[in-house]
Amino acid sequence: MIKRPVAPAVARRDFIRLAGATAAGFLALGATSDRIRIVASITSLSLDDELTRRSMTESATTRLGGLIAGLRQRGWVEGVNFHFELRSSFGGPDKMKAAVAELIDLRPDVILTGSTVETAAIIAATKTIPIVFATSNDPVGNGFVQSLAHPGGNVTGFTSSTPEMGGKWLQLIKEAVPDIQRVGVLFNPASTPRAGRYYLDSLEQEAASSGVAVVQAPISTPAEIDGAIGRFAESPKAAMISLVDSFLVVNRQAITATAAKYRVPMIYPFHYFIDAGGLMSYGPTLEVRSADYVDLILRGTKAGDLPVQSPRKYELLINRTVADSLGLKIPFTLLARADEIRE
């Protein structure tokens, strides 16, 4: 027997409120009423994680909330003509395997994935159920799609960065901390694109031209965070870069706290880290566009016929209070370019 729902009761009520409408309403919006569709999603975060709870209660400002709100605008009302199913892969390989199996057993009409790791696991489990990845950094290199313009198969979605981001992160952190002689690169080889090489090539190229030494800091367990960051508190002067990595997002609180503990300046790829007390971030502006593709697929469009889309805008966030605590005076030229300055 299929177990439903998994999401916390309060969050699910908020989701239904967010979707809110009547059967007459969805018919007026043009959605088909022949049967209840199933939209499924998998996340690497725990269902108790703050980001997961926020996604379940906010609208256009979060990925899942924006999806539900966007589907409602297109005539799909949760609990009326479709059901939303969320599973978490948090907890290790066995949990991942179980979460994937549960979603496949639901026989959903479309599956929305949140990270490269989850996307790979779902693709390995089905070649027929349509898959939309909300974020993927190297979908061609990972074998998810044949090309960005013509994905083919049962998969499409949205990329969240490019290989050149590695060099850009180094430029920004060096501008914030001009006297660094080395930069540590934090990542988990198992969950970052191409085991880190996707970004390291451009990062190392930029480092060579700016006279900064690149020191890789790979980790695979939360217990390794302290040691990986702590060694950059010693001379010569260093800063750090966090790569795009679902493992690091899950452990963002521990990472930002450890960076503060050792007074190590670090730049991150997502605003989630700034929310957790990080110094600065540079990455794609959150645009919840997955509802467009999920709607088209529910109406019969093949996932492989929909081109993979890239970010349309990037944003720079700086926390000046954190900078002050680290004894940094962020140059005005950098502050002037920030999309948001937090105090």
Side-chain angles (χ1 to χ4, degrees), residues 192-203:
T192 197
R194 299 188 195 178
R197 289 307 330 167
Y198 188 69
Y199 303 106
L200 283 168
D201 289 343
S202 68
L203 200 160

Side-chain angles (χ1 to χ4, degrees), residues 113-341:
T113 61
S115 77
T116 298
V117 175
E118 279 71 39
T119 302
I122 293 292
I123 288 175
T126 178
K127 301 299 180 187
T128 56
I129 298 173
I131 299 166
V132 177
F133 48 80
T135 58
S136 179
N137 299 286
D138 186 17
V140 177
N142 284 312
F144 297 164
V145 298
Q146 297 173 15
S147 71
L148 299 184
H150 304 285
N154 62 318
V155 186
T156 189
F158 305 86
T159 62
S160 58
S161 63
T162 63
E164 293 75 24
M165 290 290 286
K168 185 64 177 179
W169 289 321
L170 179 53
Q171 290 174 7
L172 290 168
I173 194 64
K174 193 174 189 306
E175 193 170 348
V177 195
D179 58 342
I180 57 171
Q181 299 178 47
R182 58 189 179 128
V183 62
V185 184
L186 189 68
F187 64 100
N188 183 342
S191 50
T192 197
R194 299 188 195 178
R197 289 307 330 167
Y198 188 69
Y199 303 106
L200 283 168
D201 289 343
S202 68
L203 200 160
E204 290 170 350
Q205 185 176 24
E206 176 63 28
S209 65
S210 59
V212 175
V214 174
V215 183
Q216 295 184 30
I219 57 175
S220 57
T221 67
E224 297 174 294
I225 292 172
D226 191 275
I229 296 176
R231 65 190 176 111
F232 292 97
E234 307 296 331
S235 297
K237 185 69 174 290
M240 294 191 74
I241 294 170
S242 166
L243 297 188
V244 173
D245 185 335
S246 58
F247 173 83
L248 300 188
V249 173
V250 169
N251 293 284
R252 64 195 181 282
Q253 297 283 357
I255 291 169
T256 56
T258 304
K261 170 185 172 182
Y262 289 110
R263 297 175 59 81
V264 177
M266 189 181 303
I267 186 169
Y268 305 93
F270 304 118
H271 70 85
Y272 312 134
F273 292 89
I274 305 302
D275 298 340
L279 171 64
M280 58 193 298
S281 68
Y282 181 74
T285 302
L286 177 62
E287 294 182 280
V288 184
R289 294 184 281 165
S290 52
D292 294 333
Y293 276 8
V294 171
D295 171 59
L296 288 171
I297 290 169
L298 291 178
R299 295 178 188 278
T301 303
K302 294 181 179 179
D305 291 340
L306 298 170
V308 174
Q309 296 190 41
S310 300
R312 294 182 290 194
K313 182 182 178 183
Y314 290 83
E315 61 182 4
L316 172 65
L317 279 64
I318 299 173
N319 191 317
R320 192 149 51 182
T321 300
V322 174
D324 291 342
S325 71
L326 296 173
L328 297 177
K329 185 174 178 59
I330 305 295
F332 174 76
T333 52
L334 184 58
L335 291 173
R337 301 203 309 275
D339 295 275
E340 182 180 343
I341 299 172

